[in-house]
Amino acid sequence: MTRRVYLYAFDRLFKIVDCKFLEGEAITVQNMLRLADWMTDRSAVHFRVYAVDNRPGLYTDFRETIQTNDFAKHLEFADMVSREGILLK
């Protein structure tokens, strides 16, 4: 399994507005910060960007979250990412 780090951008209402990933040799602090800057510079809206290591079930959690309008599900996913990951921006 190739190593991946996912970057999730959340708006003020904890809705996922963007998701990117870095893989293998590209996983560096510098690359994570550059990608976080790129994700936030494209919009005037303030985002929080977190980096989190890939783990079993992360994709399923992500997919379930983006397919619903349930605020509680979005808040739950954002809370999990903020606890398991690190805030980049």
Side-chain angles (χ1 to χ4, degrees):
M1 182 173 177
T2 304
R3 181 149 187 247
R4 280 189 180 170
V5 170
Y6 284 88
L7 277 69
Y8 294 103
F10 297 95
D11 66 10
R12 291 177 188 231
L13 297 176
F14 305 105
K15 186 168 180 147
I16 300 167
V17 292
D18 202 356
C19 174
K20 304 284 186 234
F21 69 89
L22 295 169
E23 197 170 61
E25 296 288 319
I27 301 171
T28 65
V29 172
Q30 186 176 11
N31 285 346
M32 285 191 285
L33 292 173
R34 282 183 185 164
L35 188 53
D37 284 341
W38 182 78
M39 291 168 75
T40 58
D41 288 345
R42 298 181 306 148
S43 176
V45 179
H46 176 74
F47 300 136
R48 288 185 156 230
V49 180
Y50 290 89
V52 63
D53 286 326
N54 192 17
R55 62 160 173 77
L58 182 64
Y59 178 71
T60 303
D61 293 341
F62 167 72
R63 203 173 67 199
E64 288 175 1
T65 301
I66 62 170
Q67 290 178 349
T68 183
N69 288 327
D70 183 8
F71 175 74
K73 199 72 161 149
H74 289 269
L75 184 59
E76 180 183 311
F77 185 77
D79 180 59
M80 181 267 307
V81 168
S82 70
R83 284 183 287 113
E84 291 183 12
I86 57 170
L87 178 64
L88 296 176
K89 191 163 183 142

